[in-house]
Amino acid sequence: MDEGMFLYWGSGSPPCWRIMIALEEKKLQGYQQKMLSFEKMEHKSAEVMAINPRGQLPSFRHGDTILNESFGACLYLENQFKSQGTQLVPDTGDNQALVFQRMHEVLALQEKLGAVIYYTWKVPEDERHDSAMERNKKTLNEELMLWEGYLEKVDPDSHLAGKNFTMADVMLFPQVAYAVHFGLSSDKYPKLMEYYNRLKERPSIQTSWPPHWKESPPTMDVLKDV
């Protein structure tokens, strides 16, 4: 069935990375894929727009089923291939509830990371306002401290929602790695860095690691003083 899957993706995009990790965890390595360049605006190409009228990545197709939101695609893969590979969502109970809670909280982290990184990235320097930058950084710091608190409550060798690797980790790890890539301080956020270092060697994560991150270091350390 994996041969009927096709993924358009961009290197370094956490939403794309989530789907790739989920595919690896569900033993669906035979899927077809095409890496596109955001810089060249290839995500606005006709082939992407044909299945994703928003012109965004990821864009994912399984047979006639199209899913372009990473959360939906990852949950679809878990439900369609539940007995295959890693079980990413517990069947019932408090563990399942915690996985759902944490995975959806990742959206808040994604939004607040983006507010800091994209402001610096997209707004010309002479149009930036120090007050806006500081406000965004303060909001992000508060969000990151929430995650520090969550990780302080888990065992040292555990994952985000317990001893097993789950969908909560599929969602969170790419955002943490993204923050590390852009200069997140290991001194200020030791638990997040421990989590990052603990999971980064997992085969599904290493196999799907953004290729351009391996080729060159980040050009911005915008999060170093958050």
Side-chain angles (χ1 to χ4, degrees), residues 120-144:
T120 305
W121 201 344
K122 295 183 177 182
V123 179
E125 189 170 356
D126 60 352
E127 296 179 17
R128 297 174 196 164
H129 296 279
D130 290 344
S131 59
M133 294 179 68
E134 290 307 311
R135 183 169 58 251
N136 289 342
K137 288 179 179 180
K138 181 178 182 295
T139 301
L140 176 57
N141 167 258
E142 292 169 351
E143 179 69 26
L144 290 166

PDB file of all heavy atoms in Angstrom, residues 120-144:
ATOM      1  N   THR A 120      12.114  38.092  12.144  1.00  0.00           N
ATOM      2  CA  THR A 120      13.495  38.425  11.809  1.00  0.00           C
ATOM      3  C   THR A 120      13.819  38.079  10.365  1.00  0.00           C
ATOM      4  O   THR A 120      14.578  38.778   9.692  1.00  0.00           O
ATOM      5  CB  THR A 120      14.454  37.670  12.751  1.00  0.00           C
ATOM      6  OG1 THR A 120      14.100  37.969  14.104  1.00  0.00           O
ATOM      7  CG2 THR A 120      15.898  38.077  12.516  1.00  0.00           C
ATOM      8  N   TRP A 121      13.219  37.009   9.895  1.00  0.00           N
ATOM      9  CA  TRP A 121      13.515  36.484   8.565  1.00  0.00           C
ATOM     10  C   TRP A 121      12.881  37.330   7.463  1.00  0.00           C
ATOM     11  O   TRP A 121      13.507  37.615   6.437  1.00  0.00           O
ATOM     12  CB  TRP A 121      12.986  35.057   8.500  1.00  0.00           C
ATOM     13  CG  TRP A 121      13.599  34.181   7.444  1.00  0.00           C
ATOM     14  CD1 TRP A 121      14.334  34.558   6.374  1.00  0.00           C
ATOM     15  CD2 TRP A 121      13.513  32.765   7.390  1.00  0.00           C
ATOM     16  NE1 TRP A 121      14.707  33.469   5.635  1.00  0.00           N
ATOM     17  CE2 TRP A 121      14.221  32.354   6.245  1.00  0.00           C
ATOM     18  CE3 TRP A 121      12.889  31.799   8.184  1.00  0.00           C
ATOM     19  CZ2 TRP A 121      14.324  31.007   5.879  1.00  0.00           C
ATOM     20  CZ3 TRP A 121      13.008  30.479   7.818  1.00  0.00           C
ATOM     21  CH2 TRP A 121      13.708  30.079   6.693  1.00  0.00           C
ATOM     22  N   LYS A 122      11.639  37.735   7.671  1.00  0.00           N
ATOM     23  CA  LYS A 122      10.864  38.321   6.585  1.00  0.00           C
ATOM     24  C   LYS A 122      10.729  39.845   6.642  1.00  0.00           C
ATOM     25  O   LYS A 122      10.473  40.478   5.621  1.00  0.00           O
ATOM     26  CB  LYS A 122       9.459  37.689   6.559  1.00  0.00           C
ATOM     27  CG  LYS A 122       9.475  36.203   6.219  1.00  0.00           C
ATOM     28  CD  LYS A 122       8.066  35.646   6.129  1.00  0.00           C
ATOM     29  CE  LYS A 122       8.071  34.184   5.713  1.00  0.00           C
ATOM     30  NZ  LYS A 122       6.700  33.625   5.569  1.00  0.00           N
ATOM     31  N   VAL A 123      10.854  40.412   7.833  1.00  0.00           N
ATOM     32  CA  VAL A 123      10.683  41.865   7.953  1.00  0.00           C
ATOM     33  C   VAL A 123      12.038  42.548   7.772  1.00  0.00           C
ATOM     34  O   VAL A 123      12.982  42.242   8.501  1.00  0.00           O
ATOM     35  CB  VAL A 123      10.074  42.243   9.317  1.00  0.00           C
ATOM     36  CG1 VAL A 123       9.928  43.752   9.432  1.00  0.00           C
ATOM     37  CG2 VAL A 123       8.723  41.546   9.511  1.00  0.00           C
ATOM     38  N   PRO A 124      12.166  43.461   6.824  1.00  0.00           N
ATOM     39  CA  PRO A 124      13.442  44.170   6.642  1.00  0.00           C
ATOM     40  C   PRO A 124      13.877  44.847   7.931  1.00  0.00           C
ATOM     41  O   PRO A 124      13.047  45.307   8.728  1.00  0.00           O
ATOM     42  CB  PRO A 124      13.108  45.204   5.555  1.00  0.00           C
ATOM     43  CG  PRO A 124      11.942  44.623   4.813  1.00  0.00           C
ATOM     44  CD  PRO A 124      11.144  43.882   5.847  1.00  0.00           C
ATOM     45  N   GLU A 125      15.186  44.911   8.134  1.00  0.00           N
ATOM     46  CA  GLU A 125      15.719  45.396   9.408  1.00  0.00           C
ATOM     47  C   GLU A 125      15.239  46.800   9.747  1.00  0.00           C
ATOM     48  O   GLU A 125      14.927  47.105  10.896  1.00  0.00           O
ATOM     49  CB  GLU A 125      17.247  45.361   9.372  1.00  0.00           C
ATOM     50  CG  GLU A 125      17.890  45.646  10.706  1.00  0.00           C
ATOM     51  CD  GLU A 125      19.378  45.372  10.720  1.00  0.00           C
ATOM     52  OE1 GLU A 125      19.905  44.878   9.699  1.00  0.00           O
ATOM     53  OE2 GLU A 125      20.019  45.658  11.745  1.00  0.00           O
ATOM     54  N   ASP A 126      15.129  47.681   8.728  1.00  0.00           N
ATOM     55  CA  ASP A 126      14.722  49.058   9.010  1.00  0.00           C
ATOM     56  C   ASP A 126      13.222  49.196   9.276  1.00  0.00           C
ATOM     57  O   ASP A 126      12.743  50.273   9.612  1.00  0.00           O
ATOM     58  CB  ASP A 126      15.148  49.983   7.864  1.00  0.00           C
ATOM     59  CG  ASP A 126      14.535  49.599   6.525  1.00  0.00           C
ATOM     60  OD1 ASP A 126      13.889  48.519   6.444  1.00  0.00           O
ATOM     61  OD2 ASP A 126      14.692  50.363   5.551  1.00  0.00           O
ATOM     62  N   GLU A 127      12.471  48.083   9.132  1.00  0.00           N
ATOM     63  CA  GLU A 127      11.041  48.112   9.414  1.00  0.00           C
ATOM     64  C   GLU A 127      10.689  47.383  10.713  1.00  0.00           C
ATOM     65  O   GLU A 127       9.530  47.354  11.111  1.00  0.00           O
ATOM     66  CB  GLU A 127      10.271  47.476   8.251  1.00  0.00           C
ATOM     67  CG  GLU A 127      10.397  48.240   6.924  1.00  0.00           C
ATOM     68  CD  GLU A 127       9.636  47.568   5.800  1.00  0.00           C
ATOM     69  OE1 GLU A 127       8.766  46.722   6.101  1.00  0.00           O
ATOM     70  OE2 GLU A 127       9.912  47.879   4.627  1.00  0.00           O
ATOM     71  N   ARG A 128      11.678  46.824  11.375  1.00  0.00           N
ATOM     72  CA  ARG A 128      11.413  46.086  12.598  1.00  0.00           C
ATOM     73  C   ARG A 128      11.243  47.035  13.785  1.00  0.00           C
ATOM     74  O   ARG A 128      11.831  48.113  13.825  1.00  0.00           O
ATOM     75  CB  ARG A 128      12.567  45.115  12.894  1.00  0.00           C
ATOM     76  CG  ARG A 128      12.749  44.047  11.844  1.00  0.00           C
ATOM     77  CD  ARG A 128      13.991  43.223  12.132  1.00  0.00           C
ATOM     78  NE  ARG A 128      14.388  42.447  10.967  1.00  0.00           N
ATOM     79  CZ  ARG A 128      15.579  41.888  10.810  1.00  0.00           C
ATOM     80  NH1 ARG A 128      16.496  42.032  11.757  1.00  0.00           N
ATOM     81  NH2 ARG A 128      15.858  41.208   9.718  1.00  0.00           N
ATOM     82  N   HIS A 129      10.453  46.596  14.732  1.00  0.00           N
ATOM     83  CA  HIS A 129      10.245  47.355  15.961  1.00  0.00           C
ATOM     84  C   HIS A 129      10.762  46.534  17.129  1.00  0.00           C
ATOM     85  O   HIS A 129      10.362  45.376  17.318  1.00  0.00           O
ATOM     86  CB  HIS A 129       8.760  47.663  16.159  1.00  0.00           C
ATOM     87  CG  HIS A 129       8.178  48.543  15.091  1.00  0.00           C
ATOM     88  ND1 HIS A 129       8.333  49.908  15.094  1.00  0.00           N
ATOM     89  CD2 HIS A 129       7.453  48.237  13.978  1.00  0.00           C
ATOM     90  CE1 HIS A 129       7.723  50.417  14.037  1.00  0.00           C
ATOM     91  NE2 HIS A 129       7.187  49.431  13.336  1.00  0.00           N
ATOM     92  N   ASP A 130      11.649  47.126  17.909  1.00  0.00           N
ATOM     93  CA  ASP A 130      12.222  46.417  19.043  1.00  0.00           C
ATOM     94  C   ASP A 130      11.148  45.913  19.996  1.00  0.00           C
ATOM     95  O   ASP A 130      11.253  44.813  20.556  1.00  0.00           O
ATOM     96  CB  ASP A 130      13.195  47.319  19.800  1.00  0.00           C
ATOM     97  CG  ASP A 130      14.470  47.593  19.020  1.00  0.00           C
ATOM     98  OD1 ASP A 130      14.741  46.849  18.048  1.00  0.00           O
ATOM     99  OD2 ASP A 130      15.191  48.555  19.379  1.00  0.00           O
ATOM    100  N   SER A 131      10.107  46.702  20.181  1.00  0.00           N
ATOM    101  CA  SER A 131       9.048  46.310  21.120  1.00  0.00           C
ATOM    102  C   SER A 131       8.336  45.039  20.646  1.00  0.00           C
ATOM    103  O   SER A 131       8.002  44.163  21.456  1.00  0.00           O
ATOM    104  CB  SER A 131       8.034  47.448  21.282  1.00  0.00           C
ATOM    105  OG  SER A 131       7.450  47.786  20.038  1.00  0.00           O
ATOM    106  N   ALA A 132       8.119  44.940  19.340  1.00  0.00           N
ATOM    107  CA  ALA A 132       7.467  43.749  18.793  1.00  0.00           C
ATOM    108  C   ALA A 132       8.362  42.526  18.945  1.00  0.00           C
ATOM    109  O   ALA A 132       7.902  41.434  19.320  1.00  0.00           O
ATOM    110  CB  ALA A 132       7.125  43.964  17.321  1.00  0.00           C
ATOM    111  N   MET A 133       9.648  42.684  18.657  1.00  0.00           N
ATOM    112  CA  MET A 133      10.578  41.571  18.783  1.00  0.00           C
ATOM    113  C   MET A 133      10.667  41.096  20.228  1.00  0.00           C
ATOM    114  O   MET A 133      10.645  39.888  20.500  1.00  0.00           O
ATOM    115  CB  MET A 133      11.958  41.992  18.265  1.00  0.00           C
ATOM    116  CG  MET A 133      11.985  42.273  16.768  1.00  0.00           C
ATOM    117  SD  MET A 133      13.615  42.791  16.167  1.00  0.00           S
ATOM    118  CE  MET A 133      14.534  41.262  16.389  1.00  0.00           C
ATOM    119  N   GLU A 134      10.746  42.026  21.156  1.00  0.00           N
ATOM    120  CA  GLU A 134      10.846  41.649  22.563  1.00  0.00           C
ATOM    121  C   GLU A 134       9.569  40.991  23.052  1.00  0.00           C
ATOM    122  O   GLU A 134       9.611  40.047  23.851  1.00  0.00           O
ATOM    123  CB  GLU A 134      11.183  42.880  23.410  1.00  0.00           C
ATOM    124  CG  GLU A 134      12.595  43.396  23.213  1.00  0.00           C
ATOM    125  CD  GLU A 134      13.646  42.317  23.408  1.00  0.00           C
ATOM    126  OE1 GLU A 134      13.569  41.600  24.441  1.00  0.00           O
ATOM    127  OE2 GLU A 134      14.524  42.157  22.536  1.00  0.00           O
ATOM    128  N   ARG A 135       8.433  41.487  22.593  1.00  0.00           N
ATOM    129  CA  ARG A 135       7.151  40.890  22.987  1.00  0.00           C
ATOM    130  C   ARG A 135       7.055  39.449  22.477  1.00  0.00           C
ATOM    131  O   ARG A 135       6.645  38.535  23.203  1.00  0.00           O
ATOM    132  CB  ARG A 135       6.000  41.733  22.448  1.00  0.00           C
ATOM    133  CG  ARG A 135       4.625  41.232  22.868  1.00  0.00           C
ATOM    134  CD  ARG A 135       3.549  42.254  22.536  1.00  0.00           C
ATOM    135  NE  ARG A 135       3.514  42.587  21.116  1.00  0.00           N
ATOM    136  CZ  ARG A 135       3.896  43.753  20.595  1.00  0.00           C
ATOM    137  NH1 ARG A 135       4.376  44.709  21.395  1.00  0.00           N
ATOM    138  NH2 ARG A 135       3.818  43.971  19.304  1.00  0.00           N
ATOM    139  N   ASN A 136       7.453  39.237  21.233  1.00  0.00           N
ATOM    140  CA  ASN A 136       7.416  37.888  20.663  1.00  0.00           C
ATOM    141  C   ASN A 136       8.362  36.946  21.403  1.00  0.00           C
ATOM    142  O   ASN A 136       8.036  35.779  21.655  1.00  0.00           O
ATOM    143  CB  ASN A 136       7.780  37.931  19.182  1.00  0.00           C
ATOM    144  CG  ASN A 136       6.705  38.565  18.326  1.00  0.00           C
ATOM    145  OD1 ASN A 136       5.554  38.676  18.745  1.00  0.00           O
ATOM    146  ND2 ASN A 136       7.069  38.988  17.126  1.00  0.00           N
ATOM    147  N   LYS A 137       9.539  37.454  21.753  1.00  0.00           N
ATOM    148  CA  LYS A 137      10.516  36.618  22.458  1.00  0.00           C
ATOM    149  C   LYS A 137      10.034  36.276  23.868  1.00  0.00           C
ATOM    150  O   LYS A 137      10.219  35.144  24.336  1.00  0.00           O
ATOM    151  CB  LYS A 137      11.870  37.322  22.512  1.00  0.00           C
ATOM    152  CG  LYS A 137      12.589  37.363  21.171  1.00  0.00           C
ATOM    153  CD  LYS A 137      13.919  38.095  21.269  1.00  0.00           C
ATOM    154  CE  LYS A 137      14.638  38.113  19.926  1.00  0.00           C
ATOM    155  NZ  LYS A 137      15.939  38.825  20.016  1.00  0.00           N
ATOM    156  N   LYS A 138       9.408  37.225  24.530  1.00  0.00           N
ATOM    157  CA  LYS A 138       8.883  36.968  25.871  1.00  0.00           C
ATOM    158  C   LYS A 138       7.795  35.906  25.828  1.00  0.00           C
ATOM    159  O   LYS A 138       7.758  34.995  26.668  1.00  0.00           O
ATOM    160  CB  LYS A 138       8.333  38.266  26.474  1.00  0.00           C
ATOM    161  CG  LYS A 138       7.771  38.117  27.889  1.00  0.00           C
ATOM    162  CD  LYS A 138       7.292  39.467  28.424  1.00  0.00           C
ATOM    163  CE  LYS A 138       6.780  39.342  29.860  1.00  0.00           C
ATOM    164  NZ  LYS A 138       5.568  38.503  29.954  1.00  0.00           N
ATOM    165  N   THR A 139       6.912  36.019  24.841  1.00  0.00           N
ATOM    166  CA  THR A 139       5.833  35.040  24.694  1.00  0.00           C
ATOM    167  C   THR A 139       6.397  33.656  24.403  1.00  0.00           C
ATOM    168  O   THR A 139       5.916  32.648  24.934  1.00  0.00           O
ATOM    169  CB  THR A 139       4.883  35.475  23.567  1.00  0.00           C
ATOM    170  OG1 THR A 139       4.335  36.753  23.877  1.00  0.00           O
ATOM    171  CG2 THR A 139       3.752  34.485  23.390  1.00  0.00           C
ATOM    172  N   LEU A 140       7.428  33.604  23.564  1.00  0.00           N
ATOM    173  CA  LEU A 140       8.056  32.323  23.248  1.00  0.00           C
ATOM    174  C   LEU A 140       8.752  31.740  24.473  1.00  0.00           C
ATOM    175  O   LEU A 140       8.666  30.535  24.733  1.00  0.00           O
ATOM    176  CB  LEU A 140       9.045  32.482  22.093  1.00  0.00           C
ATOM    177  CG  LEU A 140       9.849  31.232  21.724  1.00  0.00           C
ATOM    178  CD1 LEU A 140       8.931  30.064  21.380  1.00  0.00           C
ATOM    179  CD2 LEU A 140      10.792  31.535  20.561  1.00  0.00           C
ATOM    180  N   ASN A 141       9.435  32.582  25.235  1.00  0.00           N
ATOM    181  CA  ASN A 141      10.095  32.102  26.444  1.00  0.00           C
ATOM    182  C   ASN A 141       9.092  31.459  27.396  1.00  0.00           C
ATOM    183  O   ASN A 141       9.344  30.379  27.964  1.00  0.00           O
ATOM    184  CB  ASN A 141      10.805  33.266  27.133  1.00  0.00           C
ATOM    185  CG  ASN A 141      11.241  32.933  28.553  1.00  0.00           C
ATOM    186  OD1 ASN A 141      10.597  33.334  29.523  1.00  0.00           O
ATOM    187  ND2 ASN A 141      12.324  32.187  28.692  1.00  0.00           N
ATOM    188  N   GLU A 142       7.946  32.094  27.565  1.00  0.00           N
ATOM    189  CA  GLU A 142       6.920  31.549  28.449  1.00  0.00           C
ATOM    190  C   GLU A 142       6.426  30.194  27.944  1.00  0.00           C
ATOM    191  O   GLU A 142       6.193  29.265  28.735  1.00  0.00           O
ATOM    192  CB  GLU A 142       5.757  32.531  28.564  1.00  0.00           C
ATOM    193  CG  GLU A 142       6.135  33.826  29.300  1.00  0.00           C
ATOM    194  CD  GLU A 142       5.080  34.897  29.181  1.00  0.00           C
ATOM    195  OE1 GLU A 142       4.124  34.723  28.389  1.00  0.00           O
ATOM    196  OE2 GLU A 142       5.208  35.933  29.869  1.00  0.00           O
ATOM    197  N   GLU A 143       6.292  30.081  26.636  1.00  0.00           N
ATOM    198  CA  GLU A 143       5.858  28.806  26.043  1.00  0.00           C
ATOM    199  C   GLU A 143       6.919  27.719  26.246  1.00  0.00           C
ATOM    200  O   GLU A 143       6.606  26.587  26.637  1.00  0.00           O
ATOM    201  CB  GLU A 143       5.589  29.004  24.548  1.00  0.00           C
ATOM    202  CG  GLU A 143       5.154  27.743  23.809  1.00  0.00           C
ATOM    203  CD  GLU A 143       3.778  27.253  24.207  1.00  0.00           C
ATOM    204  OE1 GLU A 143       2.946  28.077  24.652  1.00  0.00           O
ATOM    205  OE2 GLU A 143       3.534  26.031  24.091  1.00  0.00           O
ATOM    206  N   LEU A 144       8.166  28.066  25.994  1.00  0.00           N
ATOM    207  CA  LEU A 144       9.245  27.093  26.163  1.00  0.00           C
ATOM    208  C   LEU A 144       9.365  26.627  27.613  1.00  0.00           C
ATOM    209  O   LEU A 144       9.654  25.447  27.870  1.00  0.00           O
ATOM    210  CB  LEU A 144      10.565  27.696  25.698  1.00  0.00           C
ATOM    211  CG  LEU A 144      10.695  27.918  24.180  1.00  0.00           C
ATOM    212  CD1 LEU A 144      11.877  28.823  23.871  1.00  0.00           C
ATOM    213  CD2 LEU A 144      10.822  26.580  23.446  1.00  0.00           C
TER     214      LEU A 144
END
